Amino acid sequence: MVNSWHVSVAAESITAFLFARIGYDVSVQYGANQPEYDLMVSKEDIIIKVSVKGSRDGGWGLTQGFKNKEVNYHEAINLWLNKHSNKTIFSLVQLKDVPINELPRVYLATPADIADLMKRARNGAGDTVLRENKVWSKAQYTADAIPKGWIFSEQRIHEVLANLK
């Protein structure tokens, strides 16, 4: 991947492909991106806004824009969470260590799922980056990882939709 724009295009394309492959209609935005979502997918009476985040380094920086001296990690995560509709889901696409002839790893989660996992990062200290799989070198931290249950599948889509309010 040459730059972040290429990562973004690749991530949106693979997400669109995966939803289309299982029978969802996919609408891609035209013009300037909406701040809340990148794709709309629908099937029968279900319409979902999908925010796509691509990564080529093992993590997705999500809340660093909210973190400062006056705002701790958990508060930054809450500020990020409050900016997202509870009707939007995230597609997290990981390109790190994926050969060109294999599909990237793709995970689905609600904003609340992500906020909860980010707050538990670093043994509950929180983090600004959602990490796919990170073993910390500092003794006070263990390992952080995306749950296996978040892997893109029809079952995961049903689970995520059931959790939307």
Side-chain angles (χ1 to χ4, degrees):
M1 296 282 134
V2 177
N3 60 40
S4 61
W5 181 82
H6 292 104
V7 172
S8 177
V9 170
E12 287 181 25
S13 298
I14 199 67
T15 298
F17 160 78
L18 288 170
F19 274 104
R21 185 168 183 238
I22 57 174
Y24 280 78
D25 295 325
V26 178
S27 296
V28 179
Q29 292 185 50
Y30 175 74
N33 283 347
Q34 295 292 325
E36 180 67 24
Y37 65 94
D38 301 293
L39 306 171
M40 297 273 290
V41 297
S42 65
K43 188 175 189 180
E44 299 166 2
D45 291 340
I46 300 167
I47 299 173
I48 310 165
K49 292 179 182 178
V50 183
S51 181
V52 180
K53 301 296 180 198
S55 171
R56 60 183 169 177
D57 65 4
W60 298 269
L62 300 174
T63 66
Q64 61 269 47
F66 299 96
K67 174 75 177 83
N68 60 47
K69 289 187 277 187
E70 291 82 35
V71 176
N72 69 34
Y73 288 102
H74 286 240
E75 292 167 339
I77 294 164
N78 288 336
L79 290 169
W80 173 86
L81 178 60
N82 290 336
K83 289 190 64 112
H84 295 286
S85 163
N86 57 10
K87 300 289 187 189
T88 300
I89 66 171
F90 278 78
S91 172
L92 304 163
V93 180
Q94 187 53 251
L95 299 161
K96 182 180 181 183
D97 300 328
V98 178
I100 190 70
N101 63 333
E102 293 181 16
L103 290 176
R105 296 175 300 282
V106 181
Y107 307 95
L108 294 178
T110 65
D113 290 334
I114 292 170
D116 179 61
L117 191 60
M118 289 182 74
K119 287 178 182 179
R120 289 188 280 131
R122 300 183 313 133
N123 282 352
D127 200 353
T128 61
V129 177
L130 179 66
R131 301 179 194 275
E132 183 182 32
N133 189 18
K134 171 73 173 178
V135 177
W136 295 94
S137 59
K138 293 187 176 187
Q140 73 264 31
Y141 303 138
T142 55
D144 295 329
I146 300 289
K148 298 280 187 232
W150 287 16
I151 293 172
F152 189 106
S153 68
E154 289 184 77
Q155 177 182 343
R156 181 60 182 159
I157 293 169
H158 295 302
E159 291 169 2
V160 169
L161 291 178
N163 289 326
L164 295 180
K165 296 177 174 93

